[in-house]
Amino acid sequence: MTIPMGANFEAPSEPAADPTTVLTADDKGLSQGRLIFKRFLQHKPALVSIVLFVLIVGFAISATGVFGIPGWWQWNYTSLLPIQDGGKPTLTLWPFALGDHPFGQNNVGKDYFAMVMRGLVNSAYIMFIIGGIATFIGVVVGAIAGYYRGWVDSVLMRLTDIVIVIPIIVVGAVVGSAVGGLGPLVLAIFLGFFAWTGIARLVRAEFLSLREREFVEAARVAGASDLRIIFKHILPNAMGVVIVAATLLIAAAIILETSLSFLGYGVRSPEVSLGLLISQNEAAFQTRPWLFWWPAAFIVILSLLVNFVGDGLRDAFDPRQKRIRFSKVKDLPDDAVVENGTTADVPEGVVMTTRGEAVNDGVSSEEPDGPTSAGEIRR
């Protein structure tokens, strides 16, 4: 049966896998930050993704070295070596062995494992720098536009529109052709100044809503300055949107860098990136496919992992997007509360009283007069 309330109740179709939006007695005493962290830990794909991402990037850094400290791999990504066995990969899975050139060699004899690890490190820190700079600019622009409104909002949003109408790949091509030869760091910094528009619009929308709340009026009455209200009172309440948008922007940044490097406007030789490796070995796809597939595989893996982390953060900050299901009355947690806006599927026989309580009466009761902010589920 279908029972509407502030949290919509419907007959179950399958058992619950992850009831993250149900608050139990233990959850009620947690702060908002700890509750979000707990929800994120319950999101298994996101948790596995962030662990895998750290392991993959950490492995690449340890292999190539960092800050002048040499890595554990024997070859450098710039070393020219005699080509062995036509440059074929020496990696074997059973028995497991890396060999001298696990990913093979390119057409001039460079060790492809060292090149892919170096490209992975460069692509990883490029996407984080782009995401960090774009997030900072987007938050500042969106916060000021949403808080002050009026002519300030109009000017900032028209500036945002000007940047939006120019395709980012065109902007990246111009920037890349100008500064791509200066190294991945400079390229990432310049690209970050053109990738902030999406976050700015999201933050502006959040500020337009939050600035009318009672706690903002209370801060104004207490004499708080505009900067304090923006960054101390309103921004923390919009951090969910900011973090999720920043995570998805980071995932898009690696695709942007890959596209620019593939077109020849991104990272330049002798430095390498995953996109540049694909571009350099595009012609070898038929004869030596491993030169194409290794960097392509890592691009897909990094993008998927960051997107899974973004999905987990979105669900943690906004649990109302989750649907929870209970197949039996005994599955309902004690002292559970379904948050406002959540959709919960409960068993047949669970009905709702006029107080918004769901109880196992075995009979149907009247629906409440109006939606409630939260409904208690009881056994």
Side-chain angles (χ1 to χ4, degrees):
M1 75 185 157
T2 302
I3 308 173
M5 61 177 291
N8 300 319
F9 289 88
E10 300 172 358
S13 56
E14 58 185 73
D18 182 20
T20 54
T21 55
V22 174
L23 299 181
T24 62
D26 294 335
D27 297 332
K28 295 175 185 176
L30 297 178
S31 65
Q32 183 69 10
R34 294 188 63 185
L35 188 58
I36 291 172
F37 182 68
K38 182 178 179 180
R39 292 193 191 114
F40 181 77
L41 292 181
Q42 291 174 338
H43 197 287
K44 296 303 187 294
L47 195 60
V48 172
S49 296
I50 198 170
V51 171
L52 287 177
F53 185 90
V54 172
L55 290 177
I56 291 173
V57 176
F59 178 80
I61 292 175
S62 68
T64 59
V66 63
F67 301 127
I69 303 174
W72 54 265
W73 186 239
Q74 57 184 329
W75 310 120
N76 188 276
Y77 70 98
T78 59
S79 301
L80 296 177
L81 305 168
I83 298 179
Q84 303 177 10
D85 193 23
K88 294 181 180 180
T90 59
L91 174 67
T92 58
L93 298 179
W94 187 262
F96 180 79
L98 292 177
D100 290 335
H101 306 288
F103 290 0
Q105 296 174 274
N106 66 1
N107 55 356
V108 296
K110 292 183 179 180
D111 179 67
Y112 210 56
F113 178 82
M115 296 184 72
V116 171
M117 292 299 103
R118 177 70 176 186
L120 195 154
V121 172
N122 284 340
S123 295
Y125 86 73
I126 284 175
M127 69 182 189
F128 277 105
I129 291 176
I130 292 176
I133 294 176
T135 299
F136 176 78
I137 297 175
V139 167
V140 172
V141 172
I144 293 175
Y147 180 78
Y148 287 106
R149 300 190 299 185
W151 68 268
V152 175
D153 181 26
S154 299
V155 171
L156 292 178
M157 286 302 101
R158 296 301 75 75
L159 174 63
T160 303
D161 292 339
I162 292 174
V163 179
I164 286 178
V165 297
I166 304 175
I168 187 65
I169 194 68
V170 175
V171 174
V174 174
V175 172
S177 62
V179 302
L182 300 179
L185 177 61
V186 178
L187 175 66
I189 291 174
F190 273 86
L191 289 178
F193 285 101
F194 295 94
W196 51 268
T197 54
I199 291 183
R201 283 176 169 267
L202 290 173
V203 173
R204 171 184 175 270
E206 284 293 306
F207 267 67
L208 287 174
S209 172
L210 292 172
R211 74 184 301 278
E212 306 299 334
R213 299 288 182 87
E214 290 80 0
F215 68 89
V216 176
E217 293 297 330
R220 289 196 188 100
V221 172
S225 64
D226 288 344
L227 286 179
R228 182 175 179 83
I229 293 174
I230 291 173
F231 295 104
K232 182 70 175 178
H233 296 281
I234 302 181
L235 184 58
N237 289 279
M239 283 307 295
V241 172
V242 173
I243 292 176
V244 173
T247 306
L248 299 178
L249 176 61
I250 289 173
I254 189 173
I255 304 300
L256 173 62
E257 182 277 325
T258 300
S259 303
L260 293 177
S261 297
F262 181 80
L263 295 173
Y265 298 115
V267 178
R268 310 281 181 84
S269 184
E271 275 294 349
V272 294
S273 71
L274 297 178
L276 181 61
L277 291 176
I278 292 178
S279 176
Q280 291 176 341
N281 298 285
E282 179 187 9
F285 179 76
Q286 296 293 335
T287 57
R288 307 170 78 185
W290 58 86
L291 297 179
F292 181 89
W293 285 115
W294 284 117
F298 279 108
I299 290 172
V300 173
I301 290 172
L302 292 183
S303 299
L304 286 177
L305 292 180
V306 175
N307 273 293
F308 280 136
V309 173
D311 289 340
L313 289 172
R314 180 194 63 198
D315 292 341
F317 278 98
D318 190 4
R320 292 174 297 178
Q321 298 190 41
K322 296 285 286 182
R323 174 181 290 271
I324 59 174
R325 295 182 173 90
F326 300 101
S327 59
K328 300 177 182 178
V329 176
K330 66 180 182 180
D331 292 336
L332 301 179
D334 293 324
D335 300 323
V337 174
V338 177
E339 295 182 337
N340 183 33
T342 303
T343 298
D345 296 342
V346 299
E348 294 287 348
V350 174
V351 297
M352 191 165 67
T353 67
T354 54
R355 292 174 52 198
E357 298 177 357
V359 295
N360 182 29
D361 293 322
V363 297
S364 184
S365 69
E366 297 293 332
E367 296 179 357
D369 296 333
T372 58
S373 59
E376 296 183 1
I377 303 178
R378 294 183 179 175
R379 295 197 268 177

